[in-house]
Amino acid sequence: MISPQQVEEMIKAQMPDAQVKVEDLTGGGDHYQVSVVSSQFAGKGLVKQHQLVYGALKQAMSTEAIHALALKTYTPETWQATATS
């Protein structure tokens, strides 16, 4: 089991500018929905954006501390557009 705070810290360790929101979907500490806003996503497609986040969580996912992960990734610009629509 891994806490939402630990998930956030792991992402921010690899992506220091990231704004991260972590939701535990089941209460069991292994199924998460994560939203990440980072300038590191600029110019990258959705797959590359998700790969950056998976890379930050690689250890937790390989040990199955995180069993399921739903990702939403945004650049600051796309986040702003989403927030105002």
Side-chain angles (χ1 to χ4, degrees), residues 8 22 27 32 37 42 44-45 52 56 59-60 64 75 77 81:
E8 181 177 345
V22 182
Y32 289 104
V37 180
K44 292 179 174 61
L52 285 172
Q59 181 180 358
E64 296 189 17
T75 64
E77 295 77 20

Side-chain angles (χ1 to χ4, degrees), residues 11-84:
I11 293 169
K12 287 185 174 184
Q14 295 293 314
M15 307 173 72
D17 77 319
Q19 297 175 28
V20 182
K21 179 181 176 186
V22 182
E23 297 176 63
D24 186 342
L25 296 176
T26 63
D30 62 351
H31 289 70
Y32 289 104
Q33 178 170 301
V34 180
S35 299
V36 182
V37 180
S38 174
S39 61
Q40 290 187 40
F41 297 145
K44 292 179 174 61
L46 195 57
V47 171
K48 292 289 186 188
Q49 292 176 17
H50 286 200
Q51 286 174 340
L52 285 172
V53 179
Y54 288 135
L57 299 173
K58 184 178 179 178
Q59 181 180 358
M61 294 186 74
S62 69
T63 62
E64 296 189 17
I66 297 175
H67 181 73
L69 183 67
L71 280 179
K72 295 181 182 180
T73 54
Y74 307 90
T75 64
E77 295 77 20
T78 58
W79 174 253
Q80 189 63 34
T82 302
T84 58

